[in-house]
Amino acid sequence: MAQKEPRRAALSATHSVLVRVAAVLVLLATWEALVLAGFWPPAVLPGPVQVWDQLLAASDSGNGQGGYAGSTVVERLGVSLRRVGYGSAYGILVGVGLGLLMGLVPLIRAVAEPFVTFLRALPPLAYLSLLVIWFGIDEEPKVYLLVIAAFPPVAVATAAAVTGVNRQYVEAAHALGAGRLGVVGTVVLPASAPEILTGVRLAVGVAYSSVVAAETVNGADGIGGMVLNAQRYNQTAVVLLGLVVIGVTGLLIDTAILALQRAVSPWRGRA
């Protein structure tokens, strides 16, 4: 019986993957068929084949344009991922630190929570202009925008996780001689890790979805810059290509974070 459970779980996972792949293929086939049938002009919404051809062209550095406007899709994606990586990393560090303080010190929570909620409600474009005034048009405003977008979800999730830690665990650690920092390191953080990773997942998603806004300012070398440049010249296939690249890579990043969350807390979701 014990041997059948892993096999059954593997079959279920394989079935889930196959269903998702089949659903995507059906969607693409339907989309292409509707375009070929003339339901709308290809200039308005190109089919998957045209988007694929655009991907091949934009990935070819020897096509006379260096890919697309001087950079290939891979090069542009690398630039955007670097920005998202820096912004998310700094945002997560700030968010976890502030969230711990908010969860452990009620006074800090009372003071900081309204400001965190205020920032969480602001769309990135709302404060991008202010960041440009303060830091110019180089890399700083782009990274700072992603930091500000990323840290509120982590701070909120961390504070909620810390306040939800079972007090009996904390009291037991104190009874065994652990100091305040020891309790935080050995009890609070491990118990809060799953919820913190949920906040990290949300933060990275918010940061990645904000990269197009970040690259409106001197960010033509990124994937968001490619989308904005294509929009100016009504290159719908390039716009769709950029959206697909952002969506697929975002899905892969989210899958990696979910795998890390399962590794950290394998007991979650089990009866």
Side-chain angles (χ1 to χ4, degrees):
M1 190 69 174
Q3 293 179 349
K4 289 183 179 179
E5 288 300 326
R7 190 179 304 170
R8 190 175 302 168
L11 288 174
S12 177
T14 302
H15 179 263
S16 177
V17 170
L18 290 176
V19 169
R20 293 176 184 178
V21 171
V24 171
L25 292 177
V26 169
L27 174 63
L28 293 176
T30 304
W31 176 10
E32 185 67 27
L34 291 174
V35 172
L36 294 176
F39 276 79
W40 53 74
V44 175
L45 183 61
V49 172
Q50 191 174 346
V51 176
W52 175 258
D53 291 339
Q54 187 61 61
L55 171 63
L56 297 179
S59 301
D60 182 9
S61 59
N63 63 358
Q65 299 182 17
Y68 178 83
S71 300
T72 66
V73 170
V74 173
E75 291 169 343
R76 291 177 176 278
L77 181 60
V79 171
S80 294
L81 287 177
R82 186 190 71 232
R83 289 168 178 154
V84 172
Y86 281 128
S88 298
Y90 293 138
I92 290 167
L93 287 175
V94 173
V96 170
L98 181 59
L100 281 173
L101 291 175
M102 289 169 62
L104 295 171
V105 185
L107 177 61
I108 293 179
R109 179 165 190 163
V111 173
E113 193 168 38
F115 294 100
V116 173
T117 304
F118 175 79
L119 285 176
R120 192 159 58 100
L122 287 178
L125 283 174
Y127 45 81
L128 177 59
S129 299
L130 185 61
L131 293 175
V132 170
I133 293 172
W134 287 349
F135 303 107
I137 60 173
D138 293 327
E139 284 297 294
E140 287 85 353
K142 304 178 187 62
V143 174
Y144 291 150
L145 181 142
L146 299 180
V147 170
I148 296 172
F151 96 83
V154 184
V156 171
T158 302
V162 170
T163 55
V165 173
N166 193 322
R167 297 304 303 173
Q168 292 181 348
Y169 298 157
V170 176
E171 291 168 2
H174 280 306
L176 292 172
R180 189 173 182 84
L181 289 178
V183 170
V184 171
T186 59
V187 176
V188 175
L189 278 177
S192 305
E195 285 73 19
I196 292 175
L197 284 173
T198 299
V200 168
R201 183 185 176 194
L202 293 173
V204 173
V206 170
Y208 202 17
S209 64
S210 303
V211 72
V212 175
E215 291 179 348
T216 57
V217 178
N218 196 27
D221 53 347
I223 199 75
M226 183 183 78
V227 171
L228 293 169
N229 185 70
Q231 173 260 323
R232 294 189 189 101
Y233 298 101
N234 293 326
Q235 297 173 322
T236 315
V238 180
V239 173
L240 284 174
L241 172 61
L243 296 180
V244 169
V245 170
I246 292 172
V248 170
T249 51
L251 179 62
L252 293 175
I253 293 171
D254 188 69
T255 302
I257 296 174
L258 275 175
L260 176 62
Q261 190 175 33
R262 292 192 192 100
V264 170
S265 54
W267 63 88
R268 295 196 74 188
R270 297 183 182 180

